[in-house]
Amino acid sequence: ELLIRNKVGLNEFDKKSKEMNLVEGSHMHRNRVKAREALVEKHRDAIREIAQKMLANVQETANLHSPHDKPAKKHVSAQGSCANVLDIAGLILNQCVQCGLYECGA
């Protein structure tokens, strides 16, 4: 949902920029480019926040145990860590492709 919203927002921004018919290199054009970069960074921050929440949830789940279990580890197992990294990397790569920041995966 977030990726779709981000893509729609970026597409609307680009469409409006195109309609403005700005001269490349002009002050207004540079401001628009900076505003787009800020929007992309905002999208990246939102993805990072989701990734951090996902990691916190996984770590919290890994730390839950019953009274008869061994004390919970303070870290996620190597297999759990790899799976989490792959999930997060997939989300980030998907966002980059949708934002047009990575063209090889399209």
Side-chain angles (χ1 to χ4, degrees), residues 9-25:
L10 202 55
N11 286 340
E12 288 175 1
F13 185 91
D14 290 341
K15 183 179 176 183
K16 185 174 180 181
S17 294
K18 198 174 220 179
E19 290 171 355
M20 293 172 76
N21 203 17
L22 299 173
V23 176
E24 193 168 335

Side-chain angles (χ1 to χ4, degrees), residues 40-72:
V40 169
E41 188 59 33
K42 180 181 174 187
H43 293 170
R44 286 182 186 148
D45 290 341
I47 291 172
R48 278 188 212 108
E49 185 178 327
I50 288 174
Q52 289 171 346
K53 286 179 183 178
M54 287 174 59
L55 181 60
N57 287 339
V58 169
Q59 287 176 336
E60 184 178 307
T61 302
N63 289 332
L64 294 177
H65 60 85
S66 69
H68 302 295
D69 290 342
K70 296 184 227 174

Side-chain angles (χ1 to χ4, degrees), residues 59-100:
Q59 287 176 336
E60 184 178 307
T61 302
N63 289 332
L64 294 177
H65 60 85
S66 69
H68 302 295
D69 290 342
K70 296 184 227 174
K73 295 179 181 178
K74 298 284 185 197
H75 62 288
V76 179
S77 68
Q79 284 181 326
S81 294
C82 290
N84 293 335
V85 168
L86 287 174
D87 289 342
I88 293 167
L91 286 171
I92 293 170
L93 184 59
N94 190 11
Q95 177 71 22
C96 290
V97 168
Q98 289 183 2
C99 291

